[in-house]
Amino acid sequence: PQARAIRELGWREARELAGLAGGPFDPRAFRPLVEAGVPLVLRGVRQPWIEGTRIAADDGEAPVVAALAARRGATLVTVRSWAMWESAGYLARLFAAFADAGLSVDLVATSAAAVSVTLDRVPGGTGGAAFAGLLDRLRELGRVEIVDPCAVVAVVGRRIRSVLHEVGPALAAFREHPVHLVSDSSEDLDLSFVVDEEDAPKLVARLHDDLFAVRGGDRRFGPTWEALAAGPAAARAAIPSEEDLWWRRHREELLALAADGRARYAYHPATTRERARRLVRELPSIGRLYYSLKANPHPALVAAAAGEGLGLECVSAAEVRRAREVAGAEAPVLFTPNFCPVAEYAEALAAGAEVVLDGPDLFARAPDAFRGTGVGLRVDPGRGLGHHEKVRTAGAQAKFGTPVEEIDGAAEAAGAAGARIVGLHAHVGSGILDPIAWRRTGEVLAALVPRFPDLAWIDLGGGLGVPQRPGDAPLDLAALEAALVPLAAALPGIELRLEPGRYLVSEAGVLLAPVTQVRRRAGLVFVGLATGMNSLLRPALYGAWHPIHNLTRLDEPSAGSVHVVGPLCESSDVLGRDRLLPPTEPGDVLLIDNAGAYGAVMASRYNLREPAEEVVVGEGG
């Protein structure tokens, strides 16, 4: 929804973009216009109010990232042979095979002993006679490998090599996705990546967020897709109208809470209770669910989760104390800290909590603390997942858990300290929407079961994601349960556990922020709020996207896109860029949705500004 229209494009960029992404014309159609010096303006007859894109001579040689392109349905062919090393004519013979088959090669990459190429169109498909004949020819030249189907994702612009420092951080998007080939345009117009076909949409979205999120003021870019799709009379704000949105039902109460000009978090415990019931109902393979207090330890939300029978997962002694204060002495509590003082383990054990050790060194450092006890051991499955690199908690660079290859040493250390390993725990990241992810983690832990004769449970961690942007699909709980069924069946007598945090409370909280100023600057509109990253750090820390609504003018049409910012002296104090809002004035109250998790709990008094206080609303529903 935040993709931007391109107002201006140079001929070379447009030709490259058309070749990569297709569209309304063939790249060769540009030639007579370029030779005659005639600009081209693209417009849509079905949307005449949209200004369109003007394509003309390049306006200078300044480096620029202009667009992203994705082309699906490609085929990657790799030929490997040491015979190509210093062999005159080898490539000529190889490419002759493609020419004779009538196949046009797109991207090319070579090494000392291999050549990889992509094909856009294969007559008859990869199962046809033409492709079979090509493979026969290629096998005469070396070992042939095929990836089909695949996709090409490209960063398009001008002098891309000169802005690699800008592009570099965005390439973290590829961390979770295999890249089969990287190609740099010979004209320095694009950087292309060949990936699995199903990964292309996710990668384009991630790259767009990283490369274009802060470029709203660039004259080359026009309105967002969200704004354009709404029509010529000005796009309506993207405000859900479903009656099950609790904050719509409590609108008047929320407006009254912010009437004094102060920001507040408002929590709706009934939503947390409903989410907990849903998990219990739809995940019968899970023997016990634990609410992760670090998401939000507010007593009303902790009580809501515990009241539905969930245990409480804590990462500090203070959280253990909160769990006992709210849920009582009998509530199941799991203590899973990381690099905490050893004394906190003793306090957690004294409070009746089960404990999970992050690594075996604790057995040697404090053997008496765990002698005669059954403890859990956190395992690093080797690969992190999540919506941002800073929420991925597994892998070689992560500080969490014991690597699988060091498990035998951990078992020996536990035995030497007189402790029993009764559980294995893993958590790979947060904001995960792939329902298969937890089964993969479970399979890693299940392979370790024979090494621990006292094992009673396996904890698959948390990280159950919630939708962020309009159109995002929610986590498919039915698919998650289907993935867990064979895992549970393969582990008779061992309880499966799960630790949802954000899933239970994110949608149960909103941040109410009165507008202090509205300022127009360099063609942009900035809406300033009474609070910022001192109350909600996630956008600055993770690049997180939260829906933002003008609660005062909830059902009024949008006047265009604005940047929503806070009052702190930091460039990163931005809560939302390019958001569609109705005409907004000082005194209006903005509502930032999906703010019940990792909001107030991560707040600070930076600039000596007090963060938003917390209140509970709608106890009756």
Side-chain angles (χ1 to χ4, degrees):
Q2 302 309 309
R4 305 195 72 91
I6 302 175
R7 285 191 173 117
E8 300 177 8
L9 206 58
W11 284 118
R12 292 196 305 156
E13 303 158 46
R15 182 194 64 205
E16 197 76 4
L17 191 57
L20 285 164
F25 43 70
D26 188 296
R28 291 169 292 191
F30 291 144
R31 181 175 178 178
L33 298 175
V34 173
E35 291 177 348
V38 177
L40 171 66
V41 177
L42 293 176
R43 297 178 75 99
V45 294
R46 295 182 180 178
Q47 298 168 305
W49 61 88
I50 297 176
E51 64 181 292
T53 303
R54 186 177 190 272
I55 305 174
D58 296 334
D59 57 348
E61 287 299 313
V64 64
V65 176
L68 291 168
R71 183 175 67 253
R72 305 175 73 172
T75 302
L76 177 67
V77 180
T78 299
V79 180
R80 302 183 186 277
S81 173
W82 285 105
M84 69 177 288
W85 176 250
E86 293 188 344
S87 174
Y90 183 92
L91 290 179
R93 295 193 297 276
L94 185 142
F95 285 109
F98 288 96
D100 292 344
L103 297 174
S104 174
V105 168
D106 182 25
L107 303 179
V108 180
T110 67
S111 70
V115 179
S116 295
V117 304
T118 62
L119 307 173
D120 287 340
R121 289 173 293 276
V122 178
T126 54
F131 193 72
L134 169 68
L135 295 184
D136 290 340
R137 290 275 302 274
L138 295 179
R139 290 183 181 118
E140 298 174 1
L141 299 171
R143 181 164 54 91
V144 179
E145 299 171 4
I146 306 295
V147 178
D148 179 77
C150 57
V152 178
V153 173
V155 180
V156 181
R158 185 171 61 234
R159 296 185 63 196
I160 294 291
R161 297 168 202 152
S162 299
V163 290
L164 290 177
H165 60 287
E166 294 182 17
V167 177
L171 301 187
F174 293 96
R175 182 193 298 266
E176 301 172 14
H177 307 284
V179 177
H180 303 293
L181 182 149
V182 179
S183 177
D184 173 25
S185 160
S186 61
E187 292 186 280
D188 201 6
L189 294 173
D190 73 76
L191 189 61
S192 297
F193 305 86
V194 179
V195 299
D196 291 340
E197 189 173 57
E198 64 270 20
D199 290 341
K202 293 176 284 188
L203 286 167
V204 169
R206 281 282 310 278
L207 287 167
H208 184 276
D209 284 350
D210 291 339
L211 289 172
F212 294 98
V214 297
R215 303 188 65 187
D218 192 319
R219 65 181 176 83
R220 295 165 57 94
F221 300 106
T224 63
W225 170 258
E226 182 181 46
L228 293 173
R236 291 188 59 79
I239 300 174
S241 59
E242 294 81 9
E243 285 304 313
D244 62 349
L245 285 176
W246 67 267
W247 54 262
R248 289 187 67 92
R249 298 196 303 270
H250 294 276
R251 179 188 175 211
E252 295 305 322
E253 183 180 356
L254 296 175
L255 287 172
L257 283 171
D260 61 0
R262 296 166 57 190
R264 286 179 175 82
Y265 276 103
Y267 301 137
H268 190 248
T271 294
T272 293
R273 289 193 290 270
E274 187 278 329
R275 299 294 186 271
R277 291 169 189 159
R278 182 187 300 173
L279 291 178
V280 171
R281 181 177 64 249
E282 299 195 29
L283 300 178
S285 292
I286 297 298
R288 183 175 295 282
L289 289 157
Y290 288 83
Y291 168 53
S292 182
L293 257 71
K294 62 179 176 286
N296 191 327
H298 192 279
L301 300 181
V302 175
E308 298 301 323
L310 273 63
L312 302 172
E313 185 253 340
C314 307
V315 295
S316 71
E319 287 189 355
V320 172
R321 293 192 290 272
R322 173 65 58 86
R324 287 289 175 238
E325 291 165 1
V326 173
E330 302 303 318
V333 173
L334 185 65
F335 185 54
T336 63
N338 175 252
F339 287 98
C340 77
V342 175
E344 293 194 26
Y345 285 97
E347 181 176 346
L349 287 168
E354 291 184 273
V355 302
V356 174
L357 275 64
D358 206 51
D361 56 300
L362 286 165
F363 292 122
R365 185 178 174 195
D368 294 339
F370 309 105
R371 196 177 309 280
T373 63
V375 299
L377 178 68
R378 180 160 179 171
V379 178
D380 177 3
R383 180 170 178 257
L385 292 173
H387 63 83
H388 189 276
E389 62 179 3
K390 292 179 181 177
V391 302
R392 297 171 192 139
T393 53
Q397 302 302 315
K399 66 170 185 152
F400 302 93
T402 302
V404 171
E405 58 269 21
E406 298 177 15
I407 287 297
D408 288 339
E412 294 171 4
R420 294 173 295 111
I421 302 295
V422 299
L424 295 177
H425 176 284
H427 176 67
V428 298
S430 299
I432 301 170
L433 294 170
D434 178 3
I436 307 299
W438 292 273
R439 187 187 71 190
R440 295 193 192 104
T441 298
E443 289 169 347
V444 174
L445 300 182
L448 305 177
V449 169
R451 307 186 192 187
F452 300 99
D454 299 312
L455 208 66
W457 53 265
I458 283 179
D459 192 322
L460 305 177
L464 284 72
V466 297
Q468 292 191 100
R469 296 175 179 271
D472 282 356
L475 176 63
D476 187 338
L477 293 180
L480 172 55
E481 170 62 17
L484 293 176
V485 168
L487 180 65
L491 296 168
I494 295 178
E495 179 183 69
L496 291 184
R497 297 178 172 181
L498 208 59
E499 302 170 1
R502 186 165 176 249
Y503 183 89
L504 293 167
V505 295
S506 182
E507 295 163 308
V510 298
L511 176 59
L512 305 171
V515 176
T516 57
Q517 298 181 45
V518 177
R519 184 180 305 169
R520 289 164 177 79
R521 177 177 177 275
L524 303 176
V525 178
F526 292 88
V527 173
L529 304 184
T531 195
M533 60 187 283
N534 60 319
S535 291
L536 184 60
L537 185 60
R538 297 186 73 250
L541 183 63
Y542 301 139
W545 198 95
H546 288 262
I548 301 177
H549 311 291
N550 188 322
L551 192 63
T552 303
R553 309 170 193 273
L554 186 56
D555 292 312
E556 295 183 17
S558 167
S561 62
V562 303
H563 295 342
V564 180
V565 301
L568 304 181
C569 290
E570 288 288 340
S571 297
S572 56
D573 188 26
V574 179
L575 297 176
R577 294 187 184 275
D578 298 317
R579 301 309 181 88
L580 293 177
L581 292 177
T584 298
E585 301 293 338
D588 289 355
V589 176
L590 298 196
L591 181 146
I592 302 174
D593 202 1
N594 263 6
Y598 302 103
V601 73
M602 298 176 72
S604 73
R605 296 180 66 248
Y606 185 46
N607 289 177
L608 293 183
R609 293 190 180 276
E610 293 295 331
E613 63 182 74
E614 300 170 279
V615 297
V616 175
V617 299
E619 283 288 19

